[in-house]
Amino acid sequence: MTSYYASKNGRMGQVEQPGPQTWIHLVPPFSSEELPEIAARYDLPIDFLTDPLDIDERSRYEREDDARLIVINTPVLSRVETENDSIYITVPIGIILTPEALITITSTPDHPVLQLFIDNKLRNVDPARRNHFVLRIFEHTVYRFLTCLKRLNVKRNLIEQELYDSSRNRELKQLLSIEKSLVYFINALNGNELLKMKMKRADFLGIRHDEDMWDLFEDIIIDNGQALEMANIYTNILNGTMDAYGSIISNNLNITIQRLTLITIVLTVPMVIASFYGMNVPMPLQNGNYTYLFILLLSVFLSFAVIFYFRRKRLF
């Protein structure tokens, strides 16, 4: 599906036909001829349009004649809703710059970063200022990473509170899904940082002469590094948390089994005495009037003696 957007009076709006100052946005589903037509119209290699649709595509930039491609990875919510899968995954956005057009393409409809531009939630955004528009996509991609990292950290704290008295695996599985999300984030942020550093060094966008945009680009690189550092810190904390609470769950289970074993031992004492007097053989005091009371008291006494012993050994 192809959509066209342009800025009018400071607001982004959809238009019917593309022009030199419009933003062309491509999202699935595509007809069989849609992408080849776009490639032929703007003299693009078809790879420029198909590569960003690969969810595993790495962050990179490429130049082919007058066309430039930038692929940057961004976080989105995972569509798989099981507790064993990651909460977030990363998908690429393809940004294509040609003399006639600014094109974005992604495999995710309603992409959270690009949707900010479509829904007019950002100020001072104009597709006619192409380099600035690309930098704003970079900027809000980093902000999206930071927001998702904070949400993952809040979720981790809530799960930790449930783990203190838990002996179940459900909470550990939830922590594992957070860990998977952080692995995706670290890989994507590393790739994005390397991409931006190379673009800055090669002045791929041609903004070195513009001090404001150059400063914005440097700020984006710094924020990307901050997001990467946060992801690494949260991963280290999570690894330690999973190890610690795995031990806690195991220890809770051991304590439960130990208590059940001790209770079984205490209850076994009267059973042993009763079993002796239940045999069909002569036994001491078997004909006495107070034999039953004697057996009962002896069982209680020995049971409390066993309990006292275990208490002295701090097993109860």
Side-chain angles (χ1 to χ4, degrees):
M1 184 176 65
T2 305
S3 304
Y4 308 105
Y5 299 92
S7 179
K8 296 180 180 178
N9 300 322
R11 294 181 60 83
M12 189 76 71
Q14 191 167 2
V15 295
E16 296 296 328
Q17 296 296 328
Q21 297 183 345
T22 58
W23 162 34
I24 303 173
H25 183 44
L26 306 175
V27 292
F30 300 111
S31 65
S32 58
E33 297 153 357
E34 192 169 356
L35 294 184
E37 285 179 358
I38 294 288
R41 183 190 307 172
Y42 295 104
D43 194 21
L44 299 173
I46 191 64
D47 292 346
F48 277 24
L49 298 174
T50 57
D51 286 352
L53 299 177
D54 181 4
I55 196 172
D56 297 319
E57 187 70 17
R58 62 184 178 85
S59 301
R60 61 187 177 86
Y61 69 83
E62 185 177 345
R63 187 191 299 269
E64 185 76 23
D65 296 330
D66 292 332
R68 293 172 291 169
L69 168 68
I70 303 170
V71 179
I72 185 169
N73 278 289
T74 57
V76 297
L77 277 171
S78 175
R79 297 179 181 177
V80 182
E81 297 183 354
T82 63
E83 62 181 7
N84 295 328
D85 291 284
S86 62
I87 301 172
Y88 292 98
I89 60 173
T90 55
V91 297
I93 294 177
I95 306 170
I96 303 168
L97 300 169
T98 72
E100 298 84 16
L102 165 65
I103 304 171
T104 59
I105 183 168
T106 181
S107 60
T108 305
D110 300 327
H111 192 285
V113 173
L114 297 178
Q115 202 64 34
L116 294 173
F117 296 82
I118 295 172
D119 295 339
N120 279 303
K121 293 183 178 180
L122 305 177
R123 297 180 180 179
N124 302 322
V125 176
D126 188 352
R129 302 171 61 197
R130 294 181 181 177
N131 292 333
H132 184 262
F133 192 84
V134 172
L135 291 179
R136 294 302 297 273
I137 293 177
F138 286 179
E139 180 183 30
H140 287 280
T141 294
V142 174
Y143 290 163
R144 174 69 179 173
F145 271 113
L146 292 170
T147 300
C148 293
L149 284 168
K150 291 175 182 177
R151 290 175 181 172
L152 288 176
N153 194 47
V154 170
K155 186 174 181 65
R156 178 187 62 80
N157 287 329
L158 293 175
I159 294 172
E160 280 186 17
Q161 294 175 8
E162 297 177 6
L163 273 170
Y164 280 109
D165 300 315
S166 174
S167 59
R168 299 172 298 177
N169 291 329
R170 185 173 64 88
E171 287 81 8
L172 284 178
K173 289 180 179 179
Q174 291 177 341
L175 289 179
L176 180 60
S177 68
I178 295 177
E179 185 180 35
K180 290 180 180 178
S181 300
L182 291 173
V183 170
Y184 283 124
F185 283 9
I186 290 173
N187 289 334
L189 287 166
N190 270 320
N192 290 351
E193 184 173 47
L194 185 60
L195 165 71
K196 292 166 186 173
M197 294 298 293
K198 288 183 176 179
M199 288 179 62
K200 179 184 176 184
R201 187 163 53 248
D203 195 19
F204 186 73
L205 295 175
I207 59 174
R208 192 184 298 273
H209 63 280
D210 190 318
E211 185 177 353
D212 290 338
M213 282 199 286
W214 189 257
D215 290 342
L216 175 60
F217 197 14
E218 289 182 337
D219 290 341
I220 293 170
I221 294 173
I222 292 171
D223 290 340
N224 190 96
Q226 177 186 350
L228 179 58
E229 185 177 355
M230 285 176 60
N232 283 316
I233 291 172
Y234 291 163
T235 300
N236 292 334
I237 294 174
L238 187 59
N239 289 335
T241 299
M242 292 184 67
D243 291 341
Y245 284 103
S247 300
I248 289 175
I249 290 176
S250 178
N251 188 56
N252 289 343
L253 182 60
N254 290 338
I255 291 173
T256 301
I257 294 175
Q258 181 188 38
R259 288 176 178 172
L260 291 175
T261 303
L262 296 177
I263 292 172
T264 302
I265 294 173
V266 171
L267 294 178
T268 301
V269 173
M271 290 175 59
V272 170
I273 298 174
S275 65
F276 278 122
Y277 277 88
M279 294 188 295
N280 192 19
V281 295
M283 295 293 294
L285 304 176
Q286 65 179 8
N287 297 320
N289 294 329
Y290 300 101
T291 301
Y292 173 76
L293 182 60
F294 170 75
I295 294 173
L296 181 62
L297 292 176
L298 179 63
S299 300
V300 172
F301 173 77
L302 292 178
S303 296
F304 274 100
V306 172
I307 293 174
F308 177 75
Y309 173 79
F310 286 150
R311 294 281 291 180
R312 287 288 300 272
K313 296 295 183 180
R314 297 184 178 179
L315 296 177
F316 257 124

